[in-house]
Amino acid sequence: MSQDMMRGHLDGLVLAVLATGPSHGYGLIEALRDRSGGVFDLPEGSVYPALHRLERAGLVASGWSEVGGRRRRVYSLTASGRRAAEERRSEWRSFSAAVERVFGGGDTGGRADAGPAVA
């Protein structure tokens, strides 16, 4: 997937993964890759800046945990982050449905003003 296509969507994707529960950075990267069927195989250099940006915005909180003698930072959604994740999900559904109507060339949603099809 091109960087241009990812631009503007990464924060929402991170929020969506964290909406399922707290995660450390690498776990979040794995979840994005697994849940996307390998399409979102993102480098740490993309995901960690997004996490820090979301934390500065008050949408994500972080703290340290220790697993197997190793310390790692765990990220979770704040109340504002949960609301933002739901808003982004709703916006995405509307946007993707509209894009599908354009690319799919099929359903115009019953609008009479949809205009003629262009060959």
Side-chain angles (χ1 to χ4, degrees):
M1 171 130 334
S2 75
Q3 290 293 336
D4 286 340
M5 291 199 69
M6 283 301 299
R7 194 170 297 127
H9 299 293
L10 181 57
D11 289 1
L13 293 168
V14 168
L15 291 172
V17 170
L18 291 177
T20 64
S23 180
H24 57 92
Y26 185 71
L28 186 109
I29 291 168
E30 286 181 324
L32 284 166
R33 183 177 48 246
D34 292 346
R35 288 172 64 175
S36 70
V39 173
F40 301 142
D41 190 10
L42 304 174
E44 292 177 18
S46 295
V47 175
Y48 283 103
L51 284 166
H52 298 153
R53 184 172 50 252
L54 293 167
E55 191 169 22
R56 282 191 306 272
L59 303 177
V60 169
S62 67
W64 291 100
S65 76
E66 190 169 318
V67 176
R70 294 185 60 183
R71 281 176 36 116
R72 59 186 177 188
R73 196 171 247 340
V74 175
Y75 300 88
S76 60
L77 292 183
T78 63
S80 296
R82 282 188 290 281
R83 285 189 299 275
E86 189 52 44
E87 288 170 11
R88 299 244 179 141
R89 180 177 289 112
S90 178
E91 290 170 358
W92 173 253
R93 286 183 177 146
S94 294
F95 176 78
S96 63
V99 169
E100 183 57 35
R101 287 190 302 271
V102 171
F103 279 127
D107 182 22
T108 61
R111 290 194 354 237
D113 65 340
V118 176

